[in-house]
Amino acid sequence: MSEVLNKQFFVRKLDQFLASGNFRRTPERYKVLDVVLGFSKHFSVADIQAKLQQDNFYLSLATIYNTLRLFVRANIIKSIDFEGADSTQYVVNGITSNVYLYCTTCGKIKDVRDTDFITFMNTRKYTAFKADHYSLLVYGTCNTCARKRNNSINKKSPTKKSLK
């Protein structure tokens, strides 16, 4: 039930934004919104394009990019640019946390819920500025990549043999 309400909320939000900016209400925009709302985590333009093709709904990359830019302006999604990543990642506002762990080796992204960070950010006050939202990008190496690296280092280094 909450998924339906969530979808209705975002459709109304898009309707209001399009009306306020005199943008056209096109079926392509609503189809992309439907696809975007189907993701529970991060997604890229390639993810959207693949899902649209599965549904036999073909859009140009330019249309997808322009629609996502519009959704960012409407505060429906937010874009997350990870330094060194191949593409921009997007996430629906309110679906994931605001703390992202990015593995610089494999590119895996993990959302974490850091209640201490959330509490800290919610208590921050800035002079002449009201924060709407925030995110923290943490760069490093995931456990899987660290294990692989350690295993390859251990295989390369010769074992010490005792001399008799």
Side-chain angles (χ1 to χ4, degrees):
M1 184 68 173
S2 70
E3 186 176 312
V4 172
L5 292 175
N6 221 3
K7 184 174 180 180
Q8 290 172 349
F9 168 78
F10 285 111
V11 167
R12 277 195 311 273
K13 192 170 187 171
L14 180 59
D15 285 340
Q16 292 168 353
F17 179 79
L18 294 175
S20 71
N22 290 323
F23 295 104
R24 292 182 302 131
R25 296 180 68 211
T26 65
E28 292 83 4
R29 288 176 175 155
Y30 288 92
K31 179 62 179 178
V32 173
L33 179 65
D34 188 48
V35 168
V36 160
L37 293 177
F39 293 109
S40 60
K41 292 191 175 195
H42 308 98
F43 55 90
S44 66
V45 170
D47 297 329
I48 293 170
Q49 190 175 40
K51 179 62 177 136
L52 288 170
Q53 287 176 352
Q54 281 179 354
D55 296 346
N56 291 320
F57 198 98
Y58 298 94
L59 290 177
S60 70
L61 281 175
T63 300
I64 296 171
Y65 276 109
N66 289 335
T67 303
L68 292 178
R69 255 187 251 114
L70 191 78
F71 290 176
V72 168
R73 286 180 51 201
N75 207 19
I76 293 171
I77 64 172
K78 59 184 170 182
S79 65
I80 308 166
D81 293 313
F82 293 96
E83 185 179 303
D86 291 340
S87 66
T88 299
Q89 295 288 306
Y90 298 90
V91 66
V92 176
N93 275 336
I95 287 192
T96 64
S97 69
N98 293 319
V99 180
Y100 307 100
L101 307 178
Y102 176 72
C103 178
T104 55
T105 304
C106 69
K108 184 170 82 173
I109 302 166
K110 182 176 180 180
D111 293 351
V112 293
R113 185 134 185 94
D114 187 335
T115 54
D116 292 336
F117 178 71
I118 293 168
T119 302
F120 172 75
M121 288 306 297
N122 288 336
T123 60
R124 299 292 305 151
K125 302 287 184 229
Y126 300 99
T127 309
F129 185 81
K130 183 190 177 309
D132 294 323
H133 61 275
Y134 55 85
S135 64
L136 174 64
L137 309 177
V138 181
Y139 297 88
T141 306
C142 69
N143 287 339
T144 304
C145 291
R147 267 193 305 276
K148 286 179 185 175
R149 185 183 65 226
N150 288 340
N151 287 342
S152 69
I153 289 172
N154 289 340
K155 286 180 183 177
K156 288 180 183 177
S157 62
T159 57
K160 294 183 180 180
K161 296 181 181 179
S162 60
L163 298 172
K164 292 186 181 183

